[in-house]
Amino acid sequence: MRETEATTDARRAMEVCNACRYCEGYCAVFPAMTMRREFSTGDLSYIANLCHNCRGCYYACQYAPPHPFNINLPQVLAQVRAETYEEYAWPGPLAGLFKRNGTVVSLVTAAAIALTLILTMALVDPRVLYQPQIGPGAFYRVIPWWLMVTLAGGTFLFSILALGMGFRNFWRDTGGRPDELTRPKPLAVALHDILTLKNLGGGGGGCNDVDEGFSQLRRRFHHFMFYGFLLCFASTTTATFYDHIMGHPAPYPFWSLPVQLGTWGGVGMVIGTAGLIWVKVVSDPAPAARNLLGADYALLILLFLSAFTGLLLLGLRATGAMGVLLAIHLGVILALFVIVPYSKMVHGVYRSGALLRHALERHPTPPPGNKPSDRALGSAA
Ligand code: SF4
Ligand code: SF4
């Protein structure tokens, strides 16, 4: 990673914190910090992505502004984090999208895709835009199966590839080796920390989501959003299985598994994203990196819209509005897939990598000769 003003600021803050250590028990950042005396840019990238922005250390810090030391760890680590997103993005030339990836760009992309689909439908058969379509295969009479699969599959696979390459860049830059990715114990520890959002617990009482008071709001809303997203993904996977393996095309009855997974997932995402937007709006701006808020809102709004338009489509699928709603829902989903590798969404990938690195540091590989299997071999000899 390049040396920048943000990495220089973060290094200075780390050195002050390393001497102070008042916040040692707050989160994973401090144990990772105390293991180091010097901080390379790779170390700072790892530590910045380990920070969950709970803000606990800002309100606890006796050196926070207006103190001349001006220590604002959540803010400076957020700046470094944002730079890591750009640094590790793949393919490199698209990394600049991070700078422009605001709310307007996301919404314009979604609207452009939806409009293209609506225009295509209008040219092929305008009746699908206002006539109700019901029964098996109704969605494919509006947008042909091959077009849906090509657009959704293509953008999804591109996103997965770009995120995977970004993770590889992060892992290499922070000193990781490929063989470390398969060690079961650190993997299990990291997975637990990811699934429970342990680091959003701050010093134990939760985060300083809004102000100096502790709360679990952000953690809970994030859980709603994250598990809602997983349920929606499970819904799509189940529907694909029903359609292409069992030969039973959508739409499915309300009480079927894909619709139930999608409905509860969608409700969870709507609650989670709306809640997180609200927390951002009312929270104290002092520890926030204000120049990054546009990207935060863009992602939350796109996630909210993808769930909301999905629920709307479910509610109105038997009416004449289904054609236009399907195009709008697909437009939002495709915009989300296209933008994901160059949006705040990558924080999940790098934060997971940082949590795995942290678990590896807490459970290091025993030196040769110290493994139980080695000792057994030695005594046998
Ligand atoms: S954030 Fe402030 S109080 Fe906490 S360890 Fe750093 S310098 Fe000390
Ligand atoms: S903001 Fe929270 S997670 Fe980040 S360094 Fe401070 S205490 Fe740790």
Side-chain angles (χ1 to χ4, degrees):
M1 187 177 168
R2 284 167 297 130
E3 187 70 50
T4 62
E5 202 181 322
T7 55
T8 307
D9 287 349
R11 186 175 292 111
R12 184 186 70 84
M14 286 284 104
E15 283 162 3
V16 174
C17 289
N18 225 352
C20 166
R21 299 196 177 186
Y22 178 77
C23 303
E24 225 163 32
Y26 275 37
C27 69
V29 163
F30 293 92
M33 177 193 77
T34 52
M35 291 179 79
R36 292 161 170 81
R37 295 216 166 173
E38 292 178 345
F39 297 90
S40 67
T41 50
D43 290 332
L44 293 171
S45 163
Y46 156 53
I47 286 172
N49 282 288
L50 201 51
C51 168
H52 282 51
N53 201 21
C54 79
R55 299 164 164 224
C57 61
Y58 174 78
Y59 290 109
C61 185
Q62 59 270 41
Y63 303 120
H67 190 282
F69 282 8
N70 197 29
I71 298 296
N72 189 338
L73 216 48
Q75 192 178 71
V76 75
L77 291 181
Q79 295 287 4
V80 174
R81 249 191 332 271
E83 289 183 3
T84 65
Y85 302 160
E86 201 177 327
E87 184 83 20
Y88 303 136
W90 182 92
L94 292 184
L97 286 177
F98 276 108
K99 289 200 184 98
R100 300 183 205 102
N101 195 7
T103 311
V104 175
V105 174
S106 306
L107 294 181
V108 166
T109 310
I113 298 173
L115 265 178
T116 310
L117 288 171
I118 290 171
L119 279 176
T120 312
M121 285 150 58
L123 286 175
V124 176
D125 182 3
R127 284 171 303 174
V128 296
L129 287 173
Y130 53 83
Q131 273 184 0
Q133 306 287 327
I134 45 176
F139 293 142
Y140 302 143
R141 288 197 288 279
V142 176
I143 298 178
W145 175 83
W146 65 266
L147 185 61
M148 240 194 255
V149 170
T150 310
L151 289 175
T155 48
F156 178 71
L157 288 177
F158 171 75
S159 265
I160 295 292
L161 176 67
L163 290 175
M165 295 300 282
F167 179 84
R168 187 199 64 157
N169 295 340
F170 167 82
W171 196 248
R172 280 184 180 168
D173 195 38
T174 53
R177 299 192 315 268
D179 62 291
E180 290 177 320
L181 294 168
T182 51
R183 289 193 44 217
K185 175 126 192 201
L187 267 179
V189 172
L191 200 61
H192 170 266
D193 291 353
I194 294 163
L195 295 179
T196 59
L197 284 177
K198 188 176 157 211
N199 283 284
L200 279 187
C207 288
N208 299 96
D209 295 312
V210 177
D211 51 29
E212 287 183 48
F214 291 100
S215 86
Q216 298 279 356
L217 277 176
R218 202 169 136 235
R219 192 180 193 180
R220 292 202 176 118
F221 284 134
H222 199 289
H223 277 321
F224 267 111
M225 185 184 67
F226 177 67
Y227 288 106
F229 186 84
L230 287 189
L231 284 179
C232 288
F233 187 72
S235 162
T236 309
T237 311
T238 319
T240 308
F241 181 80
Y242 275 30
D243 194 341
H244 304 298
I245 308 292
M246 292 169 61
H248 180 26
Y252 305 111
F254 181 72
W255 292 109
S256 65
L257 188 59
V259 175
Q260 283 300 303
L261 289 171
T263 303
W264 292 110
V267 169
M269 281 180 71
V270 165
I271 294 173
T273 49
L276 287 172
I277 290 173
W278 171 72
V279 169
K280 264 191 198 309
V281 170
V282 299
S283 64
D284 176 7
R290 296 191 70 76
N291 55 325
L292 307 175
L293 284 178
D296 288 2
Y297 282 124
L299 177 65
L300 287 172
I301 289 171
L302 261 193
L303 285 168
F304 173 87
L305 285 178
S306 64
F308 185 72
T309 54
L311 290 174
L312 213 56
L313 180 61
L314 173 69
L316 300 175
R317 61 185 176 167
T319 72
M322 187 267 265
V324 173
L325 277 176
L326 180 61
I328 293 174
H329 181 56
L330 258 180
V332 175
I333 297 286
L334 295 181
L336 186 66
F337 284 165
V338 168
I339 282 169
V340 153
Y342 315 103
S343 75
K344 168 82 188 290
M345 193 96 163
V346 295
H347 79 282
V349 174
Y350 301 138
R351 210 161 252 165
S352 303
L355 285 168
L356 178 58
R357 168 137 310 292
H358 185 56
L360 283 160
E361 286 187 345
R362 280 185 291 161
H363 303 279
T365 316
N370 249 356
K371 290 184 197 160
S373 54
D374 293 341
R375 283 201 295 275
L377 277 176
S379 56

